[in-house]
Amino acid sequence: MKDPYRIIKQPLITEKTTILREENKYAFVVDIKANKADIRKAAEELFDLKDKIVKINTMQVRGKTKGQFWRYRQGRRPNWKKVVITVTEGTIIEAFEAI
Amino acid sequence: MKVEVEKLGNSQVHMRVEIAAEEVTQELERNCHALRSKVSVPGFRKGKVPLSILKSRFAEHLKAEAIQNLVPPAYEQALISERLIPLGNLELSPPMHQMELKEGQPLVFEATLDVKPDFVLPEYEDLTIDKSPPNVPREEVDEYIERLQEQFATYVPLEVDRSVEESDSVRIDWECLVDGTPITDGSKQDADIDIGKGMLLPAVEAEVIGMSVDESRQIEMDFDADHENPELAGKHAVFNVALRAITEKQLPSLDDEFAKDLEYENYEQLRGAIWNNLVEEQKAIHNHRQREDILEQLIEKTAIDIPESIVDQHVQQTVQNILQRLRQEGQTPEQAGIDMEKLPTELREDAIKQTKQAWMFDVIAERENIRVTDDELDIEIRRMAEQQNRDPQKYTSLLRESNRLEEFRDTLRNDKVYRLLIQRASAKQSLIV
């Protein structure tokens, strides 16, 4: 898995992540198979974060089941992986701001 | 807000308006807050979207809205602060949908428009008009009464055995045929006619003279091609005339009896009423002439450059009115003898005059504090409605619906201004002719 764009898919912008930014934490949606090492590398490359990443927390989010009445027709949203990257004090990820 | 005004000619201005940066920022902020409660952005509950995200996501929308909210009031305020009265023909540059707005920077736009030109109101105190009081001499009343007498004359058949002479009165039956068929209103039985008073066509009258009682004659004649009645113009007509009697015309005597027939108490009262009517009539004519005099003098003394656009607008309006009236009467302009090509040119001068009058009266009314209150308007409408036999309330709402209430108010105001001007004007030595 080389291409960093295929690891970090998009910034995750929600109320919660907006609050997290005050703690220098940035959240992204990443490829579900990516591990922390991959993500670190990709983030460093994409956002120029060499030596600025303090911590990486990943978690898998279970997709919601959708559809209500028919058990056999019930579908799921895909599972996906969320990552919260903590950066050093004062570091800003430009790409995140521009949205 | 900063405004720079540059005059282009007498009735056109160019304005440069600058809306301060803080105002722009404030407006954006305000719009942002308003927007927050309306939009839903994925990842956020409604109303909880951070302003920064709103600002970047809805930048275009917010800017457009800010321009919509900022420019018109700024324009109006600029007009007020510069004491300009707009007349239209407004051109904004850049046009509103092309304006650029950047947060933290002033918004600048330019406008070119026609405005009411400055003009110096002439001294309206020293106008001179004919102020002579109405004068109805006895003779005029006499003449009027004579006409009344004629109207109420009775004709008594005479037992004479002679033919009709000039200055006789006769009773005849007549009918007029064109191509063998009677024309509209083309016959009458027992018509009382005074010979020599032009009550009959000359050709017919000539034949009637010399007829004797119970004689019938057939008179043929050709009408002129340009006769006013199209039914007759250029036609060959046959008149059948039968003389019933030679009569004597008896005028009613001028006494109380006559007055009573006309529903007056006595003869003196009748004369008085006639005199009053004639005086009123003269007053009305006089008043009209005074107004014309005043207006003419004022217009002569005032130089106003009226913008072409206004004159055109006014002319267009009048043309529309005329066309509409014609349509209501079911006529085409050609039928009414109106040359649509020439009409606008003919109306131009009037349009200029009327605009001048309106503007001058605006200024005079303001200076003299002349206003028409709602009550006055109401009373006047009631009076009008009564004259036209209409329900006052319906009449009012009719006026309101057709937007003519204010027009009516203006008319009343102008009446007041005229009254004031006439009152202030000095009397002209009227020429003795």
Side-chain angles (χ1 to χ4, degrees):
Chain A
M1 226 181 274
K2 277 273 168 87
D3 186 359
Y5 285 103
R6 298 187 72 169
I7 295 168
I8 296 182
K9 290 179 169 174
Q10 53 175 281
L12 185 60
I13 298 171
T14 64
E15 274 185 66
K16 191 171 179 181
T17 63
T18 312
I19 297 166
L20 280 178
R21 297 234 320 248
E22 285 164 23
E23 302 171 27
N24 301 317
K25 290 173 178 169
Y26 288 85
F28 296 91
V29 178
V30 294
D31 191 287
I32 196 160
K33 287 180 209 142
N35 57 34
K36 287 186 181 178
D38 292 335
I39 293 165
R40 179 181 291 266
K41 227 184 256 172
E44 280 174 354
E45 194 179 331
L46 279 182
F47 309 123
D48 204 11
L49 291 178
K50 195 91 184 149
D51 298 332
K52 287 178 183 165
I53 295 175
V54 176
K55 191 162 82 171
I56 292 183
N57 298 91
T58 60
M59 61 215 81
Q60 289 205 13
V61 185
R62 310 266 285 164
K64 286 182 179 174
T65 53
K66 286 284 170 180
Q68 278 144 16
F69 302 109
W70 300 93
R71 173 186 268 222
Y72 299 105
R73 279 202 198 161
Q74 208 158 44
R76 298 184 68 98
R77 291 273 170 92
N79 296 344
W80 52 283
K81 184 173 275 185
K82 186 199 292 190
V83 59
V84 179
I85 301 174
T86 312
V87 295
T88 50
E89 185 75 35
T91 307
I92 287 167
I93 299 183
E94 297 285 345
F96 211 94
E97 304 292 327
I99 303 298
Chain B
M1 195 182 73
K2 274 190 281 184
V3 188
E4 287 162 31
V5 176
E6 183 194 344
K7 286 209 164 189
L8 314 169
N10 206 355
S11 57
Q12 209 185 26
V13 293
H14 179 89
M15 275 198 306
R16 185 179 174 281
V17 181
E18 187 179 313
I19 301 170
E22 304 92 75
E23 269 181 77
V24 173
T25 313
Q26 265 176 28
E27 182 63 31
L28 279 173
E29 208 81 352
R30 204 173 16 246
N31 290 345
C32 239
H33 281 285
L35 190 66
R36 169 135 83 165
S37 57
K38 281 188 216 147
V39 294
S40 45
V41 178
F44 296 94
R45 287 170 293 163
K46 213 171 184 185
K48 303 284 183 185
V49 187
L51 292 182
S52 59
I53 287 177
L54 273 180
K55 262 185 201 161
S56 56
R57 288 231 178 152
F58 297 96
E60 284 311 305
H61 174 85
L62 284 169
K63 281 176 187 172
E65 196 168 354
I67 288 171
Q68 289 286 350
N69 288 345
L70 285 172
V71 172
Y75 166 74
E76 307 241 314
Q77 217 185 322
L79 289 178
I80 292 169
S81 66
E82 295 296 321
R83 300 181 165 277
L84 297 171
I85 298 166
L87 296 176
N89 228 356
L90 173 65
E91 223 169 86
L92 284 177
S93 98
M96 216 139 89
H97 60 276
Q98 281 175 16
M99 280 185 197
E100 295 276 330
L101 179 138
K102 291 205 186 79
E103 197 175 351
Q105 278 185 23
L107 173 64
V108 179
F109 66 90
E110 297 179 7
T112 316
L113 71 152
D114 283 348
V115 293
K116 193 162 159 180
D118 284 333
F119 63 92
V120 183
L121 194 68
E123 278 306 314
Y124 49 85
E125 312 266 325
D126 63 353
L127 305 174
T128 48
I129 50 168
D130 183 3
K131 277 191 163 178
S132 51
N135 173 24
V136 176
R138 274 193 84 79
E139 292 78 40
E140 254 177 73
V141 181
D142 287 342
E143 264 171 48
Y144 193 94
I145 286 185
E146 266 166 45
R147 278 201 301 277
L148 265 185
Q149 253 183 317
E150 293 275 337
Q151 260 177 45
F152 287 88
T154 47
Y155 293 86
V156 182
L158 290 177
E159 298 292 329
V160 288
D161 188 18
R162 61 173 172 86
S163 53
V164 176
E165 288 166 18
E166 279 180 51
S167 80
D168 270 342
S169 293
V170 292
R171 182 166 293 170
I172 56 170
D173 297 342
W174 63 271
E175 61 175 346
C176 172
L177 305 173
V178 170
D179 300 331
T181 49
I183 61 163
T184 333
D185 288 332
S187 68
K188 193 152 190 212
Q189 305 267 309
D190 290 335
D192 286 316
I193 303 289
D194 297 329
I195 301 289
K197 293 261 175 77
M199 290 162 81
L200 289 174
L201 290 166
V204 179
E205 195 168 270
E207 283 291 326
V208 172
I209 294 172
M211 278 170 82
S212 43
V213 177
D214 290 336
E215 186 186 343
S216 297
R217 280 196 198 176
Q218 203 170 54
I219 303 150
E220 299 191 12
M221 64 172 294
D222 293 308
F223 282 100
D224 291 337
D226 57 353
H227 193 269
E228 57 192 20
N229 184 346
E231 204 177 351
L232 298 174
K235 290 285 170 55
H236 179 81
V238 177
F239 283 89
N240 290 319
V241 180
L243 186 67
R244 290 278 158 249
I246 296 173
T247 56
E248 188 187 11
K249 183 179 189 179
Q250 289 183 341
L251 296 179
S253 53
L254 299 173
D255 49 19
D256 293 353
E257 206 60 36
F258 179 56
K260 266 176 199 149
D261 285 345
L262 294 169
E263 294 177 359
Y264 289 95
E265 297 258 310
N266 54 42
Y267 182 58
E268 273 317 301
Q269 212 188 32
L270 172 66
R271 274 196 79 99
I274 290 171
W275 187 79
N276 264 339
N277 272 346
L278 291 174
V279 165
E280 284 305 317
E281 216 171 275
Q282 212 181 53
K283 265 192 197 160
I285 295 171
H286 198 67
N287 188 263
H288 187 71
R289 203 175 301 143
Q290 283 179 331
R291 286 174 170 218
E292 275 183 346
D293 257 8
I294 280 184
L295 188 59
E296 205 143 297
Q297 289 178 49
L298 278 178
I299 285 179
E300 209 171 281
K301 286 181 176 190
T302 322
I304 313 180
D305 284 338
I306 297 172
E308 279 306 297
S309 61
I310 286 305
V311 179
D312 281 345
Q313 207 177 314
H314 203 114
V315 168
Q316 291 299 335
Q317 179 76 38
T318 320
V319 169
Q320 286 306 324
N321 284 349
I322 290 174
L323 285 181
Q324 195 187 347
R325 213 185 51 228
L326 287 178
R327 253 200 308 278
Q328 276 170 2
E329 289 167 3
Q331 277 186 310
T332 61
E334 290 81 45
Q335 277 172 336
I338 296 173
D339 186 344
M340 289 312 288
E341 299 273 301
K342 282 189 197 158
L343 189 63
T345 343
E346 286 168 1
L347 292 172
R348 271 191 74 82
E349 200 156 316
D350 268 351
I352 293 174
K353 235 183 194 177
Q354 278 170 24
T355 315
K356 273 190 182 183
Q357 187 223 8
W359 288 357
M360 282 190 292
F361 277 29
D362 280 348
V363 178
I364 297 175
E366 197 177 324
R367 191 183 295 178
E368 300 288 346
N369 214 358
I370 295 174
R371 279 201 197 84
V372 177
T373 60
D374 287 345
D375 284 345
E376 285 171 308
L377 190 65
D378 209 46
I379 292 169
E380 207 53 31
I381 288 175
R382 229 167 261 277
R383 216 171 53 88
M384 289 271 288
E386 237 163 69
Q387 265 177 19
Q388 299 178 19
N389 268 332
R390 292 162 104 156
D391 182 45
Q393 227 130 45
K394 274 187 200 156
Y395 193 60
T396 313
S397 52
L398 183 82
L399 283 176
R400 189 166 291 135
E401 268 163 37
S402 53
N403 275 332
R404 276 167 43 214
L405 207 58
E406 285 312 302
E407 206 178 296
F408 194 58
R409 196 196 287 271
D410 278 351
T411 315
L412 289 184
R413 193 204 62 188
N414 287 353
D415 281 347
K416 280 186 165 184
V417 175
Y418 268 127
R419 230 171 293 152
L420 176 104
L421 290 176
I422 287 171
Q423 195 194 331
R424 297 260 179 95
S426 48
K428 176 166 64 181
Q429 285 322 102
S430 65
L431 295 172
I432 297 158
V433 186

